[in-house]
Amino acid sequence: MLEEGRESHGLDFKQGSNEKCAFYDLGRELLVLTYVDDVYISGPKTSVEWFIRQLNDRFACKSTSFLTEDSPIDFIGMVFNRGVNSLYIDMSKYIETMWTTLNMKEAESGCRTKRPKTPISAPIVPDSDLTKPEAKWLLQALGMIGWLSMTTRLDLRYSHSESRLSQHLAKPTMAVFEATVQTVRCAYDTKHLVIEQKYSQVESDWKCYSDSDHAGNSELQNKRRSQLSHIIMNGGAPIAWASKASGVQLYDKGFGEIPRANPRITDLHADLSSAAAEIYAAGIACYEVLHMQYISRDCGIEFPVDTPVPLYIDNTTAIAFASNTIQRSKLRHIDCSMEWVLTLRDARVVKPTYVHTDSQLADLGTKILSTDKFQSWRDQLMCVRRPSQDDMQVYDSDDHI
């Protein structure tokens, strides 16, 4: 409709070049996102109501749901809420459904860890094989944890990622079964954690944390690969995140090379240097910042162009390398002519900035952490939010939907 009806319906949308499901009308400040048969509309009230009329004139649509203080919207398990001072995404209902679907009371009955404080607390040492019903349960559980960790619960991403639970799917054992039970239990005990964005947040306030753990995972199937992690934030809200073993190709978005030491190496790989692992992680984070910039542009969202996005790294050698001030003898095995290195050094895209390890939020996705450190990182990225009487008040800005 958005393309075909441009002339007859007076539509002036531009389809996103990178995010094809995004359509933005600059004149009406109207954003439309499509997903299968669902449509998300955001903009001034008059523009939104105009578009809904256009849509209903041409299609037999269901009644429109508006996100208001007393009417949250559930989209594939993500419940979007509009409070007095902020928007937030809550997945407590999905977690409750997961708990029931997985019959967790029975699953927990034979497990040793009863009330975990973290999703994963120790290396997974393979032991006895699973029965077919147990293996089927494991696949279902990991699928549900995966959805949680990709959409809202970034604190579960490391546990689920291709360096921990999911790495054991080729030959699942009772050890990974128990570790998965622990992750589900941890999610259930913290089901009211949400991602929250304040209305007062400046739209152009972007930053990225990038970190790696050099060969810290000694499990045999991991092959001593480093763990890479990044978290991109807009103000106080995490927007995009990843936690991957360095031997796993993160993605292929078509705008650059996967960071590696030599072009003939076809995948990410282990490294002898912690600084090199940090540089690879920063290279991947830089590409993700670029992608976020492209999506924001497609959606009419302000993204800094003249001011580089801070890329927080806690390794001084990696900072020096990214700033092109290090002696080549220390990192001679990294090809400085590769596109990802040049991109990383482009000060107009990101600005490599040192951050103390104690303030490195991306550490949440790199290793097994103590309970105190895990909760500290998590609580800086998410908050506990339950429906309250305050959220039922009217937010004084109903001219924008």
Side-chain angles (χ1 to χ4, degrees), residues 13 151 180 201 256 270 323 333:
F13 285 95
T151 53
T180 303
Q201 174 56 48
S323 304
H333 60 296

Side-chain angles (χ1 to χ4, degrees), residues 38-105:
D38 293 310
V39 178
Y40 165 86
I41 313 166
S42 178
K45 186 176 181 179
T46 54
S47 296
V48 171
E49 292 175 342
W50 167 84
F51 182 78
I52 291 173
R53 289 195 299 271
Q54 299 294 322
L55 203 62
N56 287 325
D57 286 345
R58 186 164 182 181
F59 300 100
C61 301
K62 295 180 180 178
S63 59
T64 304
S65 298
F66 290 90
L67 179 61
T68 63
E69 287 77 11
D70 55 353
S71 299
I73 294 178
D74 187 336
F75 182 68
I76 324 180
M78 296 176 286
V79 180
F80 294 82
N81 296 267
R82 186 173 186 174
V84 177
N85 300 308
S86 64
L87 292 169
Y88 58 97
I89 306 175
D90 168 35
M91 296 193 74
S92 58
K93 291 183 179 179
Y94 180 89
I95 293 173
E96 290 172 354
T97 299
M98 175 177 69
W99 182 267
T100 303
T101 301
L102 296 176
N103 193 10
M104 280 296 295
K105 288 186 177 180

Side-chain angles (χ1 to χ4, degrees), residues 43 70 140 211 268-269 271 288 353 365 385 392 396:
D70 55 353
Q140 185 177 22
D211 197 21
L268 295 175
H269 49 80
D271 203 284
E288 193 63 33
T353 305
R385 189 69 183 262
M392 305 300 288
D396 187 22

Side-chain angles (χ1 to χ4, degrees), residues 135-265:
K136 182 179 179 180
W137 181 94
L138 179 65
L139 288 173
Q140 185 177 22
L142 288 179
M144 300 185 85
I145 295 170
W147 179 242
L148 273 173
S149 69
M150 289 188 295
T151 53
T152 302
R153 293 300 300 269
L154 65 162
D155 58 318
L156 306 178
R157 194 62 190 153
Y158 173 69
S159 176
H160 175 270
S161 69
E162 286 81 349
S163 61
R164 289 298 177 182
L165 300 179
S166 298
Q167 262 193 11
H168 292 266
L169 285 178
K171 191 177 181 181
T173 65
M174 184 53 67
V176 70
F177 183 94
E178 291 191 351
T180 303
V181 168
Q182 175 176 337
T183 300
V184 176
R185 160 55 78 175
C186 186
Y188 184 78
D189 288 345
T190 57
K191 62 185 177 183
H192 290 294
L193 282 171
V194 304
I195 288 179
E196 183 179 39
Q197 183 70 297
K198 301 290 186 182
Y199 295 131
S200 58
Q201 174 56 48
V202 178
E203 194 173 74
S204 60
D205 181 19
W206 292 87
K207 51 184 171 287
C208 179
Y209 292 85
S210 171
D211 197 21
S212 74
D213 178 51
H214 178 239
N217 184 354
S218 61
E219 295 175 18
L220 291 177
Q221 83 290 335
N222 191 58
K223 301 178 182 179
R224 285 292 180 178
R225 291 172 294 185
S226 298
Q227 184 76 13
L228 314 181
S229 171
H230 66 259
I231 299 174
I232 299 176
M233 303 185 67
N234 180 250
I239 304 298
W241 54 86
S243 174
K244 298 279 187 174
S246 61
V248 179
Q249 185 165 312
L250 281 172
Y251 44 72
D252 181 11
K253 292 189 170 70
F255 55 79
E257 305 169 38
I258 296 299
R260 54 194 186 275
N262 189 281
R264 287 182 293 178
I265 300 174

